[in-house]
Each structure stands twice: as structure tokens, then as C-alpha cells.
């Protein structure tokens, strides 16, 4: 469902319906209330809060090519990485609320951070400040694309049904993320199938009970139309997790695979201290152009290109999916205020690199908050304020384990899946690209891959069917970019070998 609402400040009688907050964010104009926005913002924070714990484990535990960890030491400094991760998420999400006026949370992007840690920082001669410098450059490139109108033009060039497929695919992606994070499905220890149910094909362990109870409570509340169903489900599951850990001392899963029935990322325990003064020493530890001399201009340029493509289309898919979930798309399927949204997102990439927190981007988990009623930028301000608290209260964030937050993602996946009826399955020229978009997002664990496969297939089938003239010129450019994106490894090998 979409709606046209170009001016969120307008009302039917020309008089703003509420106070300053209502008028500024257009709360009533978008059919919401301040209470719903606050609740939705908190749900988004709870769904995203894991990044404060997970991002340091990804980029903070991998040394660069010189053996130095992020921050310049010879050992990981996870609290410092957690502090800048929460700070960037707080500032950029609040900015999204105030400027973008859209219910999107932003933080260090998963996938992007892993690529930077394992694929960039480890390059011979590369240091962490150089790697973060490439992230800043990526954000600046995207900022230029936004300011020139190119990024918005690409968004408008995408056929409506492919946008629908992106939303559906992200719904399945969210569902898989939730199931995997909760350990409901996981990779088998001895190989065989890519995934299996629980441990050894069976549901085991108290954390699984926490997830199942949280999911059932959330589903029942959603079916009965209870307001705040997702947030209530998370709170109930978190309370149960705290009781389970206190009574049974379940503990956490170990990196070596031992204790597979323990909690996933965080163990829900009352922390020794609720507040901790943040170490913000990572801010500004960036070498903007050092990588070009260290690893060569070709390699550095290809790294920036890869980051640009991944971030460019991840954000496009996320904002379309979140907008579709909240009825915040115009008649062409584009998010309301898309130019402002894209501007903030591009600045987030720059900020993430400058703070050594990795490239920050829009989080698809924002759909959880939208599913619970968020419709305006006020929800983003609430989410950002919660992240601001997390800067000094990171121990409190660790109270919510994966198993308690994941039910919300699964339910939101179901809600987004309902849009699949908007695709013309009787037209193979659209249906096949849509199908590949939908299935490759969860199967490849990448939103970008699904979008790229859909775009390339759409252009190819248009040519085969003699309808090449119907393809928007920008889609040819995008398809060419994705062709390079999918083959960047061989191209890089060939170029560096030729050099």
C-alpha cells in the first residue's frame, strides 16, 4: 500500500493539528500519534541494539596488515569501538529524524564492516586508519551522487514491481536473520546441509525456549491487534531470558563451538555497573589517501567502488521496504522525502569512517519499529536518543539477547511478505527478475546481491524480448555497475596482474 503525502506539515483545514513536535514531524498528518512514534522508535532501537555489541566483535578483533588493532594497540579495545559505534548511530539516526523525517535507524552496516575487516584491513601495507579513510571516500562519492540527483534518479528509474520484490526479499532476509540469530536454524557442525533446525536437527536449550515464547507472545498480540505488540514481545522475552540465566546459568556459546545451547551474542545478566564513561579516542583516526600509496591506486579504487555499490543499493532497498511497510511511498513507489533521506545516509557513511566505526547505513530492522506504528522522523529521534544513552550505558544494552529481539524480526518479515501479491507473476519478464531478487537476498545473505541479480536479469530479458527501449537509460548504467560488482575479484586480479 502506498500513499501520496508530499507535505507532511499540511492538514485538511490548513491548520496544524497539534503542538510544535506534531507540526514539525507531521505526526498527525501521517496518521500517527506521539505515543506510537516513541514506542516505534524504542522497538527499532531494541531491534538494532545488537550492533553496539556485534560491530566491535567484527572490526575490533581483526588486526590490520601490520598486526595492529583498531585504535593503534596490540590488543583489541572493544569498549572504545562500542562507544564510537553507539555515538555514530545516535547522531546519524537523530539527524535522519530531524532532516530526513523518516523512521529509519542508522548504524555500522553489517556486511560492510566484515568486508572492511577481512577484505580491506588485511591487504598488504594497509592500516586501520587507511581502511577507514577509504570508507570516508566512499561516503563522499555517494554524497556527490546524491547532490547531483543521480542516486534519486536511479531510485525513480526502477520499475514499481521490482521495488515490491525488493521489499518482499528484505522481509525474507529479515526472517532468516532472526531465525539464525536466535539459533532456531543454524549451520550444522559436521557440514552437510547449509542449515538445519536447532542443534543436530532438534530444538535444544533454554535460549530456544526464550525465542519461541517471545515469538508466540508477539504473534498472539499482533493477531489480537494489541498496540505495541512487538515491544511487549521483546520485553517479555528479555525478562524470561534474565530469569532463565539466573536460574539455570545457561551461559553463552563459545567461539570453538562448545556450549551450542547457550545464548548467542550476549548473555542476559545484570551488569556490575549500569554506566561506563566512553572512550572516544578513535574519533578522527583516519588516513584519507594513505591507502592509495600503500596498496596501489587500482586496488584502492576498486575497494571504494565495491563499498559504494553495496551501500548505494542496500540503502535504496531498505528505505523502499520500510516505506512500503508504513505506507510511506508515493504513487510511483518512492519513499516520501527520498532526497533528504539519501543525503543523511551518505553523510552517515562519512561519519562512520571518520569515527572508525565502519560505514554507517540505514538499518532494515527499522521495519520492526514501523510495524509497531512508527511513521515519522520522531521515531528516529527516539531511536537516536536511546543510542545516545547506550554510549554511556552499553552494559544495559547487553541485557537484550538475540533470542529476545529476533521474534520481532520474524514477525516483520511476515508483514513485509504480504506485498508479494503486487507482483505480476503471469509476466515472466518481470516475475523472473522479481523472483531472483526475492530469493537471493536470504540465500546469499546480501540485500545488494538480490537487487543486482534482479536488475541484471530485468535488462537481459528486456533485450531478449525485443523491449530494450522500455528500459530506463539509468538501468543500463546500473546493470553495468552490477556486472563489475559481481566480477570485481577477477577484474582486480587482471588489472593488478597487468600492472
Amino acid at each position: 500500500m502506498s500513499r501520496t503525502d508530499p507535505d507532511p506539515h499540511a492538514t485538511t483545514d490548513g491548520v496544524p493539528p497539534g503542538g510544535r513536535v506534531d507540526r514539525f514531524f507531521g505526526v498527525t498528518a501521517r496518521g500517527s500519534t506521539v505515543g506510537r512514534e516513541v514506542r516505534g522508535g524504542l522497538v527499532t532501537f531494541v531491534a538494532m541494539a545488537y550492533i553496539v555489541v556485534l560491530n566491535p566483535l567484527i572490526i575490533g578483533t581483526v588486526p590490520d596488515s601490520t598486526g595492529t588493532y583498531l585504535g593503534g594497540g596490540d590488543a583489541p579495545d572493544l569498549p572504545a569501538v562500542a562507544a564510537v559505534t553507539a555515538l555514530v548511530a545516535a547522531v546519524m539516526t537523530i539527524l535522519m529524524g530531524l532532516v530526513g523525517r523518516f523512521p529509519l535507524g542508522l548504524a555500522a552496516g553489517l556486511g560492510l564492516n566484515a568486508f572492511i575487516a577481512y577484505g580491506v584491513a588485511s591487504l598488504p601495507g594497509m592500516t586501520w586508519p587507511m581502511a577507514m579513510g577509504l570508507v570516508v571516500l566512499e561516503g563522499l562519492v555517494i554524497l556527490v551522487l546524491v547532490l547531483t540527483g543521480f542516486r534519486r534518479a536511479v531510485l525513480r528509474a526502477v520499475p514499481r514491481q521490482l521495488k515490491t520484490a525488493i521489499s518482499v526479499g528484505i522481509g525474507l532476509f529479515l526472517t532468516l536473520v532472526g531465525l539464525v540469530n536466535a539459533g532456531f536454524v543454524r549451520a550444522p557442525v559436521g557440514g552437510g546441509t547449509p542449515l538445519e533446525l536447532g542443534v543436530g536437527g532438534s530444538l535444544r536449550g533454554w535460549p530456544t525456549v526464550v525465542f519461541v515464547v517471545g515469538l508466540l507472545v508477539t504473534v498472539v498480540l499482533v493477531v489480537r491487534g494489541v498496540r505495541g505488540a512487538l515491544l511487549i514481545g521483546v520485553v517479555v522475552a528479555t525478562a524470561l531470558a534474565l530469569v532463565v540465566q539466573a536460574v539455570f546459568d545457561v551461559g553463552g556459546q563459545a567461539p570453538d563451538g562448545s556450549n551450542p545451547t547457550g545464548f548467542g551474542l550476549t548473555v542476559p545478566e545484570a551488569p556490575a555497573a549500569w554506566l561506563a564513561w566512553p572512550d572516544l579516542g578513535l574519533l578522527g583516526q583516519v588516513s584519507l589517501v594513505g591507502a592509495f600509496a600503500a596498496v596501489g591506486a587500482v586496488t584502492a579504487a576498486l575497494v571504494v567502488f565495491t563499498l559504494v555499490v553495496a551501500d548505494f543499493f542496500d540503502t535504496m532497498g531498505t528505505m523502499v521496504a520500510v516505506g512500503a511497510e508504513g505506507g510511506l511511498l508515493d504513487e510511483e513507489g518512492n519513499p516520501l522525502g527520498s532526497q533528504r533521506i539519501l543525503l543523511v545516509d551518505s553523510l552517515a557513511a562519512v561519519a562512520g569512517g571518520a569515527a572508525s566505526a565502519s560505514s554507517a547505513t540505514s538499518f532494515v530492522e527499522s521495519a520492526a519499529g514501523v510495524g509497531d506504528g512508527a511513521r515519522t522522523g520522531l521515531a528516529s529521534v527516539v531511536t537516536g536518543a536511546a543510542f545516545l544513552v547506550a554510549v554511556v550505558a552499553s552494559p544495559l544494552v547487553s541485557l537484550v539477547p538475540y533470542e529476545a529481539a529476533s521474534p520481532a524480526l520474524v514477525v516483520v518479515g511476515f508483514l513485509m511478505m504480504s506485498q508479494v501479491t503486487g507482483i505480476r507473476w503471469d509476466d515472466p519478464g518481470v516475475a523472473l527478475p522479481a523472483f531472483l531478487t526475492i530469493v537471493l537476498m536470504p540465500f546469499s545473505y546480501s540485500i545488494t546481491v538480490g537487487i543486482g541479480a534482479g536488475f541484471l536479469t530485468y535488462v537481459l530479458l528486456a533485450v531478449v524480448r525485443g523491449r530494450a527501449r522500455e528500459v530506463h537509460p539509468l538501468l543500463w548504467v546500473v546493470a553495468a555497475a552490477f556486472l563489475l560488482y559481481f566480477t570485481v575479484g577477477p577484474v582486480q586480479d587482471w588489472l593488478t596482474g597487468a600492472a
Side-chain angles (χ1 to χ4, degrees):
M1 180 180 295
S2 64
R3 48 172 267 186
T4 302
D5 187 6
D7 182 9
H9 301 106
T11 61
T12 53
D13 57 4
V15 179
R20 291 182 178 180
V21 171
D22 191 317
R23 293 196 300 271
F24 181 82
F25 292 103
V27 175
T28 301
R30 289 189 176 178
S32 184
T33 65
V34 171
R36 290 180 189 172
E37 296 303 304
V38 172
R39 188 177 66 231
L42 291 176
V43 168
T44 295
F45 169 73
V46 170
M48 291 177 59
Y50 68 88
I51 195 63
V52 179
V53 178
L54 187 56
N55 192 50
L57 293 177
I58 294 175
I59 66 174
T61 58
V62 179
D64 59 27
S65 65
T66 68
T68 303
Y69 289 87
L70 193 59
D74 56 3
D77 188 355
L78 301 188
V81 181
V84 294
T85 299
L87 181 62
V88 170
V91 173
M92 298 315 304
T93 302
I94 291 174
L95 193 63
M96 176 62 75
L98 296 177
V99 177
R101 302 187 190 181
F102 202 75
L104 272 179
L106 298 95
L110 286 176
L112 291 173
N113 57 4
F115 172 68
I116 294 164
Y118 298 102
V120 180
S122 59
L123 291 173
M126 185 72 73
T127 66
W128 271 112
M130 293 176 187
M132 291 302 172
L134 293 179
V135 174
V136 173
L137 290 177
E138 170 242 328
L140 292 175
V141 170
I142 294 181
L143 178 60
V144 171
L145 295 178
V146 171
L147 294 177
T148 58
F150 179 80
R151 199 176 187 188
R152 189 181 185 190
V154 170
L155 175 65
R156 295 186 176 278
V158 178
R160 176 68 182 266
Q161 294 190 66
L162 277 186
K163 292 176 183 174
T164 300
I166 290 171
S167 298
V168 175
I170 289 178
L172 289 181
F173 177 78
L174 269 181
T175 301
L176 182 59
V177 168
L179 294 174
V180 171
N181 285 353
F184 193 84
V185 297
R186 63 183 77 188
V189 176
T193 59
L195 293 173
E196 66 177 3
L197 178 68
V199 180
S202 178
L203 297 178
R204 303 172 185 268
W206 283 107
T208 300
V209 174
V210 170
F211 169 74
V212 172
V213 170
L215 181 61
L216 292 177
V217 169
T218 305
V219 167
V220 169
L221 293 176
V222 168
V223 170
R224 293 183 63 86
V226 176
R227 293 181 177 179
L230 299 183
L231 182 58
I232 293 172
V234 171
V235 171
V236 169
T238 300
L240 177 59
L242 287 168
V243 172
V244 164
Q245 176 58 25
V247 174
F248 299 102
D249 192 22
V250 175
Q253 299 173 23
D256 62 2
S258 58
N259 194 26
T261 58
F263 284 99
L265 180 63
T266 59
V267 178
E269 295 177 316
W274 296 97
L275 301 176
W277 190 256
D279 177 4
L280 302 178
L282 285 172
L283 296 176
Q285 289 194 20
V286 175
S287 174
L288 197 59
V289 296
F292 287 83
V295 300
V298 171
T299 298
L302 286 174
V303 167
V304 172
F305 171 80
T306 302
L307 290 171
V308 167
V309 172
D311 199 357
F312 190 108
F313 290 100
D314 263 13
T315 297
M316 189 188 79
T318 297
M319 59 190 262
V320 169
V322 171
E325 175 63 22
L328 302 175
L329 303 180
D330 61 22
E331 295 178 350
E332 298 177 355
N334 301 310
L336 304 175
S338 58
Q339 184 71 358
R340 298 192 305 270
I341 298 170
L342 294 172
L343 177 63
V344 176
D345 185 83
S346 63
L347 292 174
V350 176
S356 297
S358 180
S359 181
T361 188
S362 300
F363 260 53
V364 71
E365 284 85 351
S366 305
V370 172
D372 215 36
R375 294 294 182 271
T376 76
L378 178 57
S380 296
V381 172
V382 173
T383 303
F387 270 115
L388 203 57
V389 173
V391 175
V392 295
S394 55
L396 180 61
V397 174
S398 64
L399 278 178
V400 183
Y402 266 158
E403 292 79 3
S406 294
L409 300 184
V410 175
V411 173
V412 168
F414 155 72
L415 296 175
M416 297 175 72
M417 186 69 189
S418 63
Q419 302 173 49
V420 75
T421 55
I423 299 173
R424 288 189 54 192
W425 295 105
D426 58 343
D427 181 358
V430 172
L432 281 171
F435 171 74
L436 289 176
T437 298
I438 291 170
V439 299
L440 283 178
M441 284 188 190
F443 291 166
S444 67
Y445 223 68
S446 169
I447 294 174
T448 303
V449 168
I451 293 175
F455 285 6
L456 280 170
T457 307
Y458 178 81
V459 172
L460 175 63
L461 293 182
V463 173
V464 171
R465 302 169 76 197
R467 299 181 178 179
R469 294 184 178 180
E470 298 178 9
V471 178
H472 194 286
L474 282 178
L475 281 187
W476 290 97
V477 177
V478 172
F482 269 116
L483 187 60
L484 177 58
Y485 175 77
F486 286 135
T487 59
V488 68
V491 169
Q492 180 176 350
D493 293 341
W494 177 75
L495 290 175
T496 54

